[in-house]
Every structure is written in structure tokens, then in C-alpha cells.
Amino acid sequence: MSESDRGMGGQSGVAVRARGLVKSYGSTRALDGVDLEIPTGQVLGLLGPNGAGKTTTVRILTTLLRPDEGEAEVAGHDVLADPDGVRRSIGLSGQYAAVDENLTGFENLYLVGRLYGKRKAEARERARELLRRFQLDEAGDRPAKGYSGGMRRRLDLAGALVAEPSVVVLDEPTTGLDPRGRIDMWEVIEQLVATGATVLLTTQYLEEADRLADSIVVIDKGKVIARGTADELKAQIGGERLNLVVAEQEQIPAAVRVLESVGTSEATVDEHSRRVEVLVDTGPKALVEALRLLDAERVTVQDVGLHRPTLDDVFLALTGHGAEEEVPAS
Amino acid sequence: MNGAGKILTDSGVITWRNVMNVRRNPEWLLGATLFPIMFVLMFAYVFGGAIGGPGGDSGQYREFLIAGIFAQTVAFNSSYTVIGFANDLQKGIIDRFRSLPMSRLAVILGRTTADQVLSLVVLFVMSICGLLIGWRIRGSVLDAILGYLMILLFAFALSWVGAYIGLVSRSVEVANSAGLIWMFPLTFISSAFVPQESLPGVLGTIADWNPFTAAVNATRDLFGNASPAGWAAPSGWPADNAALYAVLSSVAIIAIFAPLATARYRKVASR
């Protein structure tokens, strides 16, 4: 596979297509009819809380798991009929960095290259090239057990790219990384996208999908509950959020009254931080009006802000629970 | 590349990876050799006098013992296969392998082969230990080599059982005990340490037909090591055809467990 093969995944320019995927474990339906499509060269963010079915979807698309029902095609190969064809076209980087700790970074990449069928010299050359690209060349000849979490993830991702796959699957690439490691990883993924690869990215971080994905599919309890670009999803719940912090606990009821009079939703209150928030659809006008009314009521405002909704708000609106909180097993 | 070629190349690559793992952790080798050396010393000097029989010559017993200890040592090495697979599963390395366009069989064959490389190193150290306590090879060099190959073949067969156990184990902890527990009856209800004929009733029958007994008897024979004087010679088909029986059962074990382990590998999920 070479760079020029990219963009060859299917006549319609669709690199990944899944229809009606169903997978049950006992009586639990991990996937309950998931459809998704990734145009060649695009990044799809598969978003959902823990246990939503993201990893199950990834495992089916990477031939690690057979679906009970439904069909899927990756880079023009059917996952059930031609799993080896799929394997030759994909690179998988899992949520546990699949790095052999006793091998050096170089040896890890060499191993993968050889298993893709590369000759020794070719595998060596590719390993060095990837180490350089992922800023691991200095650490490349040390055993991976001494690597930081971020370095391991980068090495794992490099392993997924050894054969220059046309479709790259990243299963929660930044889960468990510190903020610095996460930003580094995002930059690496952005470089990857710039080379034209099609990427399926699963994440539970809305910020990550917002930054990296061309389009987003939100799943919850094995079902797709929303899809579209980040902006489209934000537009679905409309408006902006007006929030403010009052000086005294006793002023909260008055603030709630005022905000609900200018807003379009019920106010949400965080007693501890004395923060009150409401959705508005008139933007700055609502803000000015609210401040005028609060002043009239002699409520002291310590902080005030007007924000466009984040994907977190979208998620909350769609599912009734936040994206990062644990969902009790049903 | 054709199918068989790809299996061999991939197996070679995986073997290299597993041997590198051992080289980076020399303390594993230390454990793998110290444990059997302890066994030699315990049996030779603690039990030796008693088992050697009344007025028994414990030098003769030590010579008898060595083939049994060698076979037991390499048999126990199959637990490295078990733990190796459980570890690779837990760390997601099996997922990576399964997502590659590589031979499925090679992942297991590479591991079972690498474990025989480990066994070779251990056998070398054990042989020196044996020589130090008075064991000698009394047959021809060729027979001695065949003797070593015999126990390696049997150990190789057990590694496939180990691969299956490792792939069905739910955790590394489970794999740890599951990989070892069956080794004890397998290696002790046999002719490895005691006169085969001294085992009572059912145990005697099990020992007679235990492939491990056959592997030990065949190796002992190839080394030219006799039983201590006065021990009753075992009889029956497996005893009379020890080498043949040991080879046949090794092949049978591989024929059963290679497909089982490969089928399990295809479906196995990381945890």
C-alpha cells in the first residue's frame, strides 16, 4: 500500500460504511443497529460515554469481532467476507497502547513492519522514519518500559501507520493522558489527517471530537442518537448560555427569577459556586436586560458570561446525562 | 508469499520477539533454572536416600533422577507459554496482532517455539548441574542428542496445551495457577522420581500410560542411565515402546491443541 492508494476506498468515495450493526453479549445489546459512513479522507468522531458501544463498533470494523447482524465495508473490503483485505488496509491504535514493553521503540515498529510482510531492510527503514516523525528517535533504542504514557501512545499510533494504511482507527487515543500529552497527541493526529488518511476516532471527550473530527456520530446504549458536524449538533439545541455568579447564597432565588424571565429554558443552579445558568436566544440583548434587572433587584453579580453551547451541552440535551459520567448498566 | 512461507516467516518474527523478551529479562532465566536446580538437590539429597531403597546406592538414584528432572523442567516451562499469552492479551498486544494481515497460527507457533529456546538454555545449565552431582551420559553422543530432542518434543507439545490455557484464562493471575497446577500430577504420577512399579493400583496404571513416563523412560534409555539396582523393571506396551509412545502422544497432543488454541485465538477478546 502506498500514499497513492489513498482515496481508492470504494467507488463512491466512501472509505468506511457500516449498516445495521448489532452485537449482543448475553441479554445486553452492546450495539443495536449502528449505521455509519466515512467519506474518504475525512475524520469521523464516534462519540459516546463508557459502555455506549464505541469499542464494539471499532472491534467489528477492524475484524476483531464478528457482528451478530449487519454488514460493514472498510476500504472496499467486506469485514466478514474478506477480513485479510481489511487488515491490509487499516491501522489500529487501541485504547491500551499495544506496545511490547520489553522491546525498544525501534524493535516494536520493526516487528509490526515484518508482520505486515515488509522485508527486513524495508521494515528497518520504515521504523526509523516513523520514530523521527513521532519525535521518538532519541528514545528509539531504549526499551519501551521506560516511556511515558504519551510516548507509548505515540509509539502505538506509529505502529498503526507502519503500512501506510488508507484507513486509520484510533480507539480513545488520549484517554488517560495528561493535558500536555493530549495536546501533543492531537497535533500528531492533525498531521496524520493532513496526509489524507481516513480516520475513525472514538472518544469520550467532546473537545477532542470538536477539534479533530469533520463529522460526528453520537452513540449511547448501542444506538446512534445524533449525527452531523459539530456546528450542526450545536445548532440542534440552539441559542447560547448565559451564566452568572452572584455574591451571596440568598441572592440565588432572585437571580433565577431574572434569568428565567430573559431566557428560554429553566435555570440550572449550582448552590456551591452560586452559579446560575439559562439558555437564551437573543444573545447580548438578553445579557444587558438581565444585568439591568439584577441591578434593580440589588443582586451583586461577581462574574457573568455568554457562551455558545459546547458539545457537552449537546450531549446533555440528547441523552439526559453528561458525556463523561458513568452510566449505570441497564 | 505463499501461505506456508508466510506462516514460517511470521512465526520466525514472533519467535524473535519472544526471545528478545527473555533476553531483556534475564531474571526470568534465573527463575527458570534455579527452581529445577533446587528440585535436583532436594530429590538427590533429601529424598534420595529413602527412595534409593534400603542400603540403596544414592549415586545410582541421582543418575536415575536426572532424566526425570530434565523432563519435568521443560514441561514446567509450558507455564511460560500460558503466562505469556495471558500477558499479551491483557496488554492489547494480541489485538494488535489480530488486526494485522499475518498468519494466525504464527502467533502461537512463534511463542511455543520461543519457549523451547528458553528450554534449551535451561537444559544446558541443568546438564552442568547433573554432571556436578555425578550424572553421566553413558550411551553414544547421537543417542544423547536424541534424548534431549525427545524431552524437547514433549515440552513443545505441552506448550500447545499451555497456549490454549493462556488464551482461555480470564486474567494473568488465573493463568499463573492454571498453567502450573496440572503439571504436578502430570510429572509426579510418573517414573520421573520413583520406581514406576512402586505406584499402587490406579496410580500405577496412570503412571504406566502417562506420556510423561514414556518421555522420561525413553530419554533415560537414550542417556544410558539405568534404574538403581533391585528396582522392578516396568512392563507393558508403553514401557516396552517408550520412545514410540512418547513421540506418538506428543504428536497427538499437538494435533488436538494446535487447532483448539488457534480457534480460540481467532475469537479471543482483550480485557
Side-chain angles (χ1 to χ4, degrees), chain B residues 150-161 182 186 206-218 237-239 241-258:
Chain B
M150 166 60 68
I151 43 182
L152 282 175
L153 171 69
F154 189 71
F156 181 63
L158 293 185
S159 277
W160 287 89
V161 183
W182 61 290
L186 178 83
I206 294 175
D208 287 350
W209 287 93
N210 186 347
F212 185 74
T213 298
V216 171
N217 286 348
W237 188 87
N241 302 280
L244 176 66
Y245 181 53
V247 171
L248 285 181
S249 38
S250 300
V251 172
I253 291 169
I254 296 172
I256 294 168
F257 281 91

Side-chain angles (χ1 to χ4, degrees), chain A residues 241-259:
Chain A
R241 287 180 310 159
L242 171 60
N243 64 44
L244 54 84
V245 175
V246 294
E248 307 287 340
Q249 292 267 335
E250 303 84 71
Q251 298 175 328
I252 291 177
V256 168
R257 231 175 16 251
V258 168
L259 288 194

Side-chain angles (χ1 to χ4, degrees), chain A residues 273-324:
Chain A
S273 59
R274 303 182 308 280
R275 181 179 292 272
V276 185
E277 185 172 299
V278 72
L279 284 175
V280 295
D281 54 12
T282 50
K285 266 191 182 165
L287 175 66
V288 172
E289 174 74 1
L291 288 177
R292 195 183 59 74
L293 289 170
L294 288 165
D295 193 44
E297 298 236 7
R298 304 209 178 283
V299 174
T300 320
V301 176
Q302 284 187 332
D303 187 21
V304 62
L306 189 63
H307 304 280
R308 291 203 59 201
T310 66
L311 277 171
D312 251 320
D313 302 316
V314 176
F315 210 91
L316 202 59
L318 288 169
T319 65
H321 55 78
E324 284 172 55

Side-chain angles (χ1 to χ4, degrees), chain A residues 2-180:
Chain A
S2 68
E3 305 276 344
S4 64
D5 282 341
R6 286 186 178 153
M8 298 289 285
Q11 293 160 335
S12 50
V14 174
V16 178
R17 176 187 284 126
R19 278 207 206 91
L21 295 181
V22 173
K23 183 74 194 177
S24 301
Y25 296 103
S27 59
T28 317
R29 284 207 141 190
L31 286 188
D32 196 2
V34 166
D35 298 330
L36 58 85
E37 218 167 75
I38 315 179
T40 303
Q42 290 214 355
V43 182
L44 178 81
L46 185 60
L47 196 62
N50 277 333
K54 301 188 298 291
T55 295
T56 307
T57 307
V58 163
R59 296 184 69 84
I60 290 172
L61 293 175
T62 52
T63 76
L64 298 180
L65 194 67
R66 293 174 72 89
D68 297 337
E69 287 169 41
E71 52 183 34
E73 225 182 72
V74 177
H77 305 279
D78 189 287
V79 293
L80 292 174
D82 183 16
D84 253 329
V86 174
R87 289 178 199 127
R88 274 193 296 274
S89 323
I90 61 165
L92 167 65
S93 178
Q95 51 178 306
Y96 318 95
V99 161
D100 188 331
E101 300 191 319
N102 294 310
L103 298 186
T104 64
F106 171 77
E107 287 164 345
N108 265 289
L109 297 178
Y110 172 76
L111 172 75
V112 174
R114 292 283 286 149
L115 294 174
Y116 268 112
K118 286 186 187 295
R119 297 184 181 285
K120 286 181 188 172
E122 206 188 340
R124 261 186 230 120
E125 198 182 317
R126 181 71 179 150
R128 289 290 172 209
E129 185 187 325
L130 284 166
L131 288 173
R132 272 194 303 278
R133 179 164 148 202
F134 288 85
Q135 285 115 46
L136 290 167
D137 32 357
E138 270 175 43
D141 291 316
R142 291 204 305 267
K145 76 173 64 156
Y147 287 16
S148 69
M151 289 163 79
R152 280 175 202 225
R153 289 298 175 97
R154 293 210 299 278
L155 181 60
D156 187 60
L157 177 56
L161 304 183
V162 165
E164 291 170 43
S166 58
V167 176
V168 180
V169 179
L170 305 175
D171 190 13
E172 304 202 5
T174 63
T175 298
L177 291 186
D178 59 25
R180 179 73 240 164

Side-chain angles (χ1 to χ4, degrees), chain B residues 51-191:
Chain B
I51 303 173
D57 180 343
S58 62
Q60 277 184 2
Y61 176 69
R62 289 203 293 275
E63 182 140 324
F64 165 86
L65 174 69
I66 290 299
I69 291 278
F70 281 7
Q72 189 201 35
T73 302
V74 293
F76 268 74
N77 280 353
S78 71
S79 67
Y80 287 97
T81 308
V82 179
I83 294 165
F85 270 116
N87 252 319
D88 284 355
L89 268 174
Q90 196 172 50
K91 300 222 167 107
I93 290 173
I94 296 283
D95 269 2
R96 153 108 344 133
F97 287 157
R98 287 184 68 224
S99 75
L100 295 177
M102 64 177 292
S103 151
R104 324 262 93 185
L105 182 64
V107 175
I108 308 173
L109 184 57
R111 165 74 65 181
T112 52
T113 308
D115 285 338
Q116 302 326 303
V117 176
L118 178 70
S119 286
L120 260 182
V121 177
V122 174
L123 275 179
F124 177 74
V125 178
M126 297 292 301
S127 298
I128 292 171
C129 171
L131 290 170
L132 289 176
I133 64 162
W135 165 74
R136 294 290 179 273
I137 290 171
R138 311 218 178 257
S140 69
V141 175
L142 179 67
D143 278 354
I145 292 171
L146 287 176
Y148 281 110
L149 287 179
M150 166 60 68
I151 43 182
L152 282 175
L153 171 69
F154 189 71
F156 181 63
L158 293 185
S159 277
W160 287 89
V161 183
Y164 181 69
I165 296 175
L167 289 169
V168 296
S169 297
R170 290 183 181 280
S171 69
V172 177
E173 291 72 24
V174 171
N176 240 323
S177 33
L180 276 179
I181 202 85
W182 61 290
M183 285 292 143
F184 288 93
L186 178 83
T187 58
F188 280 93
I189 307 174
S190 77
S191 65

